[in-house]
Amino acid sequence: MSVPVFRPVGEVEDAVSALLPDLKSALNRLVSIPSIALDGYPTEPLMRAHDAVVELLRDSGITQVEELVIPGKTAPVVLATVPGPPGAPTVLFYTHYDVVPADDVDLWESPPFEPQERDGAIYGRGTADSKANLVGIIGALRVFDAQPPVTVKLVFEGQEEFGSPFDFYPATHPEPFRADAMVIADVGNVRPGAPTLTVALRGSAQVTVSVDTLKADKHSGLYGGAAPDARLALIRALASLHDDAGDVAVEGLRREEWTGTSYTEQEFRDLAEVLEGKALMGTGGLGERIWSGPAITVIGFDAPAVDGPVNAVAGSARAVLNVRVHPAQDAAEAQAEVIRHLQAQRPFGLEVTATAGEVGNGFAAETGGPGFEAAVAALGAAWDATTGEMAGGGSIPLVMALHTGIPEAEKLLFGATDGYANIHGPNERVLIDEMRRATVAKALFLQNYAAKSAAGRSGTSR
């Protein structure tokens, strides 16, 4: 097979710029649909978004479109195939068309499901997470008139935000998703204008902690001071999870220095909305604190509300912990270390019980392969800057399912989102220029990967 014709970067940029009005219109159409897959919300908008995605694909000349319905409560997964030249490699693109709710409407400057363009951005729920990525994938294929230089598989999910059977489906049903390289377009750049590949995702584990001391709560005036207070004991046990600097103090949790791109401290303070004068937790670089090291957060704690306190010694207390795990550490192993640590505590001589909840492993990408090199070059050309590497503090369960089912495929995470997009929060937005450049990057990636694959086969045949 000969090396595919390589379209110059400027030609690809011009093609995307010509498509941009249509891409913006498509994004506005999708964002206006409140496609929320959470229980208690109507399913009609979710199905309307599904149908709109299928229509966008067909209008773009993509004819091999089907849907995957998995047993259990899940929205249909849109699957499509766009054939490339004979012998060409296969690239899979993944993203999702569902969104989180926007119940905090009073904090929005414009209605969340009425997309509005201002100051070079489109505002609305789902703009950045992840409908701009979906539109950008279709735009990249339109650059080639739906005749890309590689075979392309599209996987557009409708229930990513709240979990579904599809989170694990590819691990046991790999054939529909088999590809040489996969682009997970559910992420983006560390900041606007800085092309960034996400090369790792932290894992996650849940732990429930409890202390039981009395058959029932007792009056604090009559019994306080001698009756063992379960809530105080639990607080003391939880405090042992971190040292005085705020670093995780549990042995056996993996932590390494982060050497890639990261936020500056001021960027992180701004993004996290840290109050003026308040110290950050932990020591060392920001990257190892939020990406290549562990974090333990108390996400639930049973206690009476401050507005309605009761003068009583607590006879029982519970808390739920979220443990974020180094991308390459087994999440169940890390969970066991946290449980072991907690059960070794004896606050006031009392026993602590810790039980395991759900776990999800992280992901660490292999770098240096033809897909990685093609992506680095494509992102750098699209933004005319050096491509950096970052990690994600959150988990994307489907990435691990794909990695389990098709371990030989390169997994590449990049997209139109940026660190300031405020996904899941009020005034979520995507910068139009970031969406344009991300679309350019996807198109360039396809031809870069085609060229590298063809060159590799040619070299092997010699």
Side-chain angles (χ1 to χ4, degrees), residues 53-422:
V53 170
V54 171
E55 186 177 334
L56 286 171
L57 290 171
R58 295 195 184 281
D59 288 347
S60 300
I62 300 168
T63 58
Q64 295 185 31
V65 183
E66 55 186 306
E67 69 177 35
L68 171 66
V69 179
I70 302 170
K73 188 181 184 303
T74 180
V77 180
V78 178
L79 302 178
T81 301
V82 189
T90 298
V91 170
L92 181 147
F93 280 104
Y94 164 86
T95 196
H96 59 94
Y97 61 85
D98 67 308
V99 300
V100 298
D103 296 334
D104 47 1
V105 291
D106 292 341
L107 299 177
W108 285 76
E109 294 180 15
S110 54
F113 295 107
E114 296 178 18
Q116 185 179 108
E117 182 177 335
R118 58 180 185 270
D119 301 325
I122 297 176
Y123 287 80
R125 172 60 79 230
T127 50
D129 188 19
S130 187
K131 292 176 177 178
N133 285 314
L134 191 155
V135 168
I137 292 167
I138 295 174
L141 290 169
R142 288 183 63 184
V143 167
F144 301 103
D145 295 322
Q147 297 179 23
V150 299
T151 293
V152 174
K153 291 183 178 181
L154 304 179
V155 181
F156 296 152
E157 185 185 355
Q159 202 165 326
E160 188 272 345
E161 296 291 6
F162 300 102
S164 76
F166 188 61
D167 282 352
F168 311 99
Y169 185 85
T172 54
H173 302 77
E175 283 308 315
F177 314 101
R178 201 167 293 285
D180 299 288
M182 300 177 176
V183 175
I184 312 300
D186 193 17
V187 292
N189 295 335
V190 65
R191 64 183 67 86
T196 315
L197 267 174
T198 296
V199 296
L201 300 169
R202 278 198 297 195
S204 179
Q206 196 155 294
V207 175
T208 299
V209 197
S210 61
V211 176
D212 296 293
T213 59
L214 308 171
K215 289 184 177 180
D217 293 355
K218 295 296 181 181
H219 193 291
S220 60
L222 297 177
Y223 298 98
D229 189 319
R231 201 170 295 132
L232 282 176
L234 179 58
I235 290 170
R236 197 174 180 97
L238 295 177
S240 73
L241 295 168
H242 295 83
D243 64 21
D244 290 343
D247 288 318
V248 172
V250 178
E251 292 185 5
L253 298 190
R254 185 169 169 180
R255 173 174 170 161
E256 295 170 355
E257 182 183 0
W258 179 256
T259 58
T261 301
S262 184
Y263 300 113
T264 66
E265 181 170 326
Q266 190 56 53
E267 280 180 318
F268 185 82
R269 285 179 172 278
D270 292 342
L271 290 167
E273 297 185 300
V274 179
L275 297 177
E276 188 71 28
K278 302 299 180 182
L280 300 183
M281 287 183 65
T283 59
L286 269 174
E288 65 186 271
R289 280 184 271 175
I290 62 175
W291 295 331
S292 59
I296 301 177
T297 305
V298 179
I299 60 172
F301 193 99
D302 288 343
V306 172
D307 292 339
V310 177
N311 291 328
V313 177
S316 62
R318 293 184 307 164
V320 177
L321 308 177
N322 176 249
V323 183
R324 294 289 168 169
V325 182
H326 184 285
Q329 182 170 24
D330 181 77
E333 172 191 284
Q335 181 186 61
E337 295 290 353
V338 174
I339 289 173
R340 188 177 299 113
H341 173 94
L342 287 166
Q343 292 184 333
Q345 306 303 308
R346 287 292 183 271
F348 314 126
L350 299 170
E351 181 180 7
V352 175
T353 300
T355 57
E358 63 181 22
V359 296
N361 281 333
F363 168 74
E366 294 290 333
T367 59
F372 179 82
E373 292 177 354
V376 168
L379 288 162
W383 271 271
D384 192 23
T386 301
T387 302
E389 297 176 15
M390 64 181 288
S395 56
I396 305 177
L398 184 72
V399 175
M400 275 310 301
L402 290 168
H403 192 55
T404 300
I406 309 98
E408 67 276 11
E410 289 188 76
K411 283 79 180 182
L412 308 153
L413 284 71
F414 63 90
T417 309
D418 67 82
Y420 293 82
N422 212 30

